Amino acid sequence: VQLQASGGGLVQAGGSLRLSCAASGPSFSSWIMAWFRQAPGKEREFVAVITWGLGSTYYADSVKGRFTISRDNAKNTMALQMNSLKPGDTAVYYCSATSTFRSVPAMREATHYNYWGQGTQVTVSS
């Protein structure tokens, strides 16, 4: 399984960016896919997750209402639409995947995921 994240960049506060994650591997539609981010000097933190099938979604409180996670199982891709960006959103964003479900709370933990993309930098200027 390989994940390739793209779409990061520099944007002013209040602007938007759309991140993409291209996945290769079997049974993509059965994976749980998530975005995490890591700012300098901070731990990696959960951003959003989308499950398999109908694609239930869960978000960190800090991005709820501003970010939208989606997936296209026909294209083996996942996206994160980020609106109303704030300087506090500045981080390297990572896409991740797992075929195992433990619990809804566990999906917010980085340790839940087996596969990681290389990360894409998002910088929001004030």
Side-chain angles (χ1 to χ4, degrees), residues 17-23 28 31-35 47-59 66-82 95-96:
L17 279 175
R18 184 176 179 86
L19 305 184
S20 294
C21 179
F28 173 81
W31 299 352
I32 299 168
M33 303 291 297
W35 289 97
V47 175
V49 60
I50 186 166
T51 64
W52 65 93
L54 294 178
S56 297
T57 58
Y58 303 88
Y59 297 90
R66 300 187 297 121
F67 292 10
T68 302
I69 189 171
S70 61
R71 65 190 297 162
D72 185 335
N73 291 331
K75 296 182 178 179
N76 281 19
T77 58
M78 173 180 67
L80 185 69
Q81 178 65 42
M82 305 186 296
C95 58
S96 59

Side-chain angles (χ1 to χ4, degrees), residues 103-116:
S103 68
V104 171
M107 290 193 295
R108 297 172 178 263
E109 302 296 327
T111 54
H112 190 67
Y113 298 87
N114 309 103
Y115 306 104
W116 293 85

Side-chain angles (χ1 to χ4, degrees), residues 33-50:
M33 303 291 297
W35 289 97
F36 285 77
R37 67 186 183 187
Q38 188 166 17
K42 295 187 177 181
E43 293 187 353
R44 193 168 296 192
E45 66 172 356
F46 168 76
V47 175
V49 60
I50 186 166

